[in-house]
Amino acid sequence: PDTNTVIKVAIADDHALFRTGVKTSLQSRKDIQMVAEAENGMQLLNLLRHIQPDVVLLDIQMPIMDGLEATRRIRSGQVCSDIPIIALTAHALDEERQRAIRAGMNDFLTKPIDPERFAESLHRARDLLKPQNRGALEARLQAMLEAHERRQAVRPHLVVRERERYLLVPTAGIHALEA
């Protein structure tokens, strides 16, 4: 990674202690600088009208305006529509990750955040800023989303034992079961 460029970061999280921890962990890094912080998505949108960070760290669950709604508004062109957004959440569920990607977030970190993974995510976000990388990364995210949707579209099956073998029976045509 190019370490000559300082990555300017804004964070929105409703937990002041978490924001302080992130700032403290970033203070020792010469390539990353915290430039703004907000308690919710609405405050972040107001900040983004006045500052231009390179990356936004955005908690998904916050009062007033959550991170998903803030992301949708950013992506709609209200402010900094192409800024990389990294989701922060205490929930590691796949559904939460998919909702974040659908809203327009570029990466996903679960709390507590591993410092190495955190730095890697910020550097990936910086790479998003390079125009030659945007198309490939957006295509990769879209492919991941489509693959997940295909997996979800697969109808569930019942496993039925018939003598000494097992069969997968699609549940789509089953209206009643009798044993």
Side-chain angles (χ1 to χ4, degrees):
D2 177 13
T3 56
N4 295 328
T5 305
V6 174
I7 303 170
K8 295 179 289 186
V9 178
I11 185 171
D13 193 292
D14 56 324
H15 294 101
L17 188 59
F18 180 77
R19 290 192 317 267
T20 301
V22 170
K23 283 191 304 190
T24 302
S25 71
L26 293 179
Q27 284 176 348
S28 65
R29 300 200 53 117
K30 304 256 188 265
D31 58 335
I32 302 170
Q33 177 188 13
M34 182 69 65
V35 295
E37 62 180 283
E39 293 178 7
N40 58 61
M42 186 66 72
Q43 282 184 1
L44 175 70
L45 292 176
N46 289 331
L47 281 171
L48 292 178
R49 287 180 175 81
H50 305 286
I51 62 164
Q52 184 74 35
D54 298 320
V55 179
V56 170
L57 303 174
L58 189 52
D59 188 15
I60 290 180
Q61 294 181 342
M62 296 181 289
I64 302 173
M65 182 186 295
D66 67 24
L68 298 174
E69 180 60 25
T71 299
R72 285 189 281 273
R73 290 187 186 197
I74 291 168
R75 295 296 182 233
S76 75
Q78 285 188 17
V79 289
C80 308
S81 63
D82 60 348
I83 192 166
I85 301 172
I86 300 172
L88 303 172
T89 184
H91 307 285
L93 302 173
D94 192 47
E95 294 80 28
E96 187 87 357
R97 183 181 308 270
Q98 295 305 319
R99 286 182 26 218
I101 290 171
R102 275 193 202 96
M105 294 177 167
N106 303 95
D107 206 347
F108 188 92
L109 295 173
T110 54
K111 298 174 186 175
I113 295 174
D114 173 79
E116 287 303 312
R117 175 127 163 62
F118 182 49
E120 288 170 12
S121 185
L122 288 173
H123 286 284
R124 273 195 309 274
R126 178 184 49 203
D127 289 343
L128 272 176
L129 297 172
K130 298 175 183 171
Q132 68 269 23
N133 294 338
R134 284 194 182 161
L137 290 168
E138 288 171 2
R140 194 173 117 219
L141 284 173
Q142 185 62 35
M144 287 171 50
L145 182 59
E146 289 169 2
H148 174 74
E149 288 171 349
R150 279 193 304 274
R151 285 192 305 273
Q152 297 301 319
V154 175
R155 298 192 184 267
H157 292 77
L158 290 175
V159 177
V160 178
R161 182 175 177 195
E162 183 180 286
R163 295 188 185 157
E164 298 300 319
R165 62 185 180 152
Y166 292 91
L167 304 171
L168 285 177
V169 178
T171 58
I174 298 175
H175 300 287
L177 289 176
E178 190 175 305

